[in-house]
Amino acid sequence: MKRFPGFLNGGLTALALVVASIAAVPVAHAAGTTLKFVPEGDLRSLDPIWTTSGVTRSYAYMVYDQLFALDDQFRPQPQMVDQWTVSPDKLHYRFTLRDGLKWHDGKPVHSADCVASIERWMKRDILGQSLAEAIDEMKVVDDKTFSIDLKSPFPLMLDAFAKLAAGALFVMPERIAKTDPNTQVVESIGSGPFRFVKSEWVPGSKAVFEKNPDYVPRNEPVNWGAGGKVAKVDRVEWIYIPDMQTATNALRSGSVDWVAKVPQDLVPQLERVEDVNIRVIDPFGSWVIMRFNHEQPPFNDEKLRQAVLWGMNQSDYMTAIAGEDQKYWQACYSFYTCKTPLSTTAGAEALMGPRDLVKAKALIKESSYKGEKIVIMSATDMTLSNASALVTADLFRKLGLNVDLQSMDWGTMQQRRASHAAPADGGWNVFFTYFSAADMLNPALNIPLSSNGAKSWVGWPVDPKLEAMKNQWLVAEPAVQQALATDIQIEAFKSVPYVPLGQFMIPTAYRSNLHGVIEAPEVFMWAVEKR
């Protein structure tokens, strides 16, 4: 049994209804082929293309499938695709789907579904947007085959199709994929190893999945998102428990089988339970960011964003999120995952150096800030968001900024952060979220680095110079990509699309009768067996 000390602080207030429902579940009910799982947050959106929410992405991996998927060497492997060809000049691709693919309503998966899904995804994902500019024509050849002709080579196309974390491409039926990319999909019809039981979905309480008997897994061994997705339980119930003490008690008693993320102060309780495993299954950890609203005052002013850099200290955030023991977190003064090839501290002087409140206040005075309220959104049912918001509110007050700290649950914040309204009319100025560190390896994967205005992720930063350099990086030879990535980071520390707050590890905990939990940056529930 591999055990780790914990990494997160805190516990949140439980909903009385959830407490009562968990307490009422007898231990014997947890046996059999029903897996009871406590996700990191509430499932509010069913559209993994519309949102980057990790909860929605975990849902999508249950329900949908991908054309290609990444293995643990970051190599794209065919998933829904059986065979593909590429011309010697790398401009003409042809893809053929494998046999046996069916939607959950029993209809066959066709190549038209794939084309429509790619088109919708390209309008939302930053790497997809770059791919769209390189495509000359994408068309259906027959029911199982589609082709893509490029205007110029795009070396990362298969990598784009195989994206693992935020911005992953999930294939939907054509009629659903035709939904406007700025409008949330509300149907749940995939072709993946589990079916979503929408009739049993209770937002704020429970989501239910059943094994898809029509799913035909690939023959290869499972490897991260690639290989054979073999569902080994008949039913999975996601039980949303906002209070982590209640979730921990439910795991100890056997009322639930698996808690996705365990706060540091509760890990010692679980370490004393013989039948509970505590593990870090994400080999890269997580990356916390502070995101500004670049459309609305006052953070549409670059000087004010720079002032925040000079006033903050990553250690304050990491200690609040992950505890005093730095063994489980690190300050990371880069826009790329630390301890990976592109990681650099170039341009990071403001973030690295000692906190300089004098310089920060001078920049605020030079900015256009006039004392207006700054709405900081805090998701109180997600420890890292709440802890980061509290640290930031304290910092902003020290800088003389007018703070309006607004508390809400993660699901509400997920919806609200997409709003373009003024903060006084239900919009926002700052929020906090996290990405898998595997999302931040390079400029192509780094979603919040995109600075293309309305085409960018929520927050909508604008920096044409950064975008031009990023586009150069996408098609550059490997020998020059390192220098380009460094130049991109230097520019990012000037325009400040977001602030990296550090990198940390989060343990998961599950009953010892669960086997096959996959070590990967995402939560995958295929291959998990309950004995």
Side-chain angles (χ1 to χ4, degrees), residues 195-479:
R195 299 184 298 197
F196 184 58
V197 186
K198 194 172 182 181
S199 61
E200 295 189 48
W201 180 33
V202 182
S205 178
K206 184 170 74 170
V208 176
F209 305 83
E210 291 179 345
K211 179 179 179 179
N212 175 14
D214 294 328
Y215 185 75
V216 180
R218 296 187 66 89
N219 292 324
E220 300 91 351
V222 65
N223 186 335
W224 279 19
K229 300 178 180 179
V230 180
K232 296 187 177 181
V233 294
D234 296 321
R235 179 180 169 96
V236 179
E237 295 181 1
W238 285 13
I239 310 297
Y240 173 56
I241 308 176
D243 178 61
M244 284 292 98
Q245 182 63 69
T246 304
T248 300
N249 291 343
L251 182 64
R252 294 172 64 186
S253 71
S255 296
V256 300
D257 303 300
W258 188 355
V259 175
K261 300 186 185 300
V262 181
Q264 178 195 19
D265 60 338
L266 298 180
V267 167
Q269 296 181 22
L270 295 177
E271 288 181 320
R272 294 192 292 269
V273 181
E274 186 64 29
D275 293 333
V276 170
N277 290 338
I278 304 169
R279 294 173 58 196
V280 173
I281 62 174
D282 182 350
F284 294 96
S286 297
W287 179 290
V288 190
I289 72 166
M290 176 193 299
R291 184 64 160 183
F292 302 109
N293 187 336
H294 293 248
E295 284 189 343
Q296 300 290 340
F299 288 114
N300 58 346
D301 189 322
E302 184 178 271
K303 286 187 179 295
L304 190 59
R305 301 194 299 271
Q306 292 172 351
V308 172
L309 285 181
W310 284 102
M312 67 177 297
N313 185 323
Q314 280 193 351
S315 296
D316 294 341
Y317 289 89
M318 288 292 93
T319 301
I321 291 169
E324 297 285 345
D325 193 342
Q326 198 169 346
K327 180 180 179 181
Y328 306 111
W329 59 265
Q330 62 177 312
C332 186
Y333 308 116
S334 176
F335 280 89
Y336 314 116
T337 303
C338 279
K339 299 181 180 178
T340 61
L342 296 186
S343 178
T344 174
T345 58
E349 291 79 13
L351 194 60
M352 288 179 63
R355 186 197 312 273
D356 193 335
L357 296 181
V358 173
K359 185 160 187 173
K361 289 179 179 180
L363 284 166
I364 292 171
K365 190 173 182 179
E366 294 175 18
S367 76
S368 57
Y369 181 63
K370 302 301 181 185
E372 57 265 43
K373 284 186 177 181
I374 295 176
V375 173
I376 301 175
M377 295 196 296
S378 173
T380 54
D381 59 343
M382 186 166 286
T383 303
L384 67 88
S385 173
N386 192 44
S388 299
L390 294 175
V391 172
T392 300
D394 181 63
L395 168 62
F396 282 10
R397 292 185 182 109
K398 289 177 180 176
L399 294 175
L401 303 179
N402 187 0
V403 174
D404 182 7
L405 181 62
Q406 297 189 14
S407 299
M408 60 201 74
D409 60 43
W410 173 249
T412 298
M413 192 180 81
Q414 177 187 328
Q415 302 289 324
R416 184 171 169 181
R417 71 187 188 184
S419 172
H420 292 266
D425 298 323
W428 58 278
N429 294 116
V430 177
F431 78 89
F432 307 87
T433 190
Y434 75 99
F435 289 83
S436 166
D439 285 328
M440 315 303 245
L441 296 173
N442 60 52
L445 296 175
N446 191 321
I447 285 178
L449 188 63
S450 175
S451 299
N452 202 17
K455 292 184 178 181
S456 301
W457 184 57
V458 293
W460 314 285
V462 179
D463 186 342
K465 182 179 179 181
L466 191 153
E467 282 297 298
M469 289 191 292
K470 188 193 73 176
N471 290 335
Q472 292 174 29
W473 187 92
L474 288 171
V475 296
E477 294 296 324

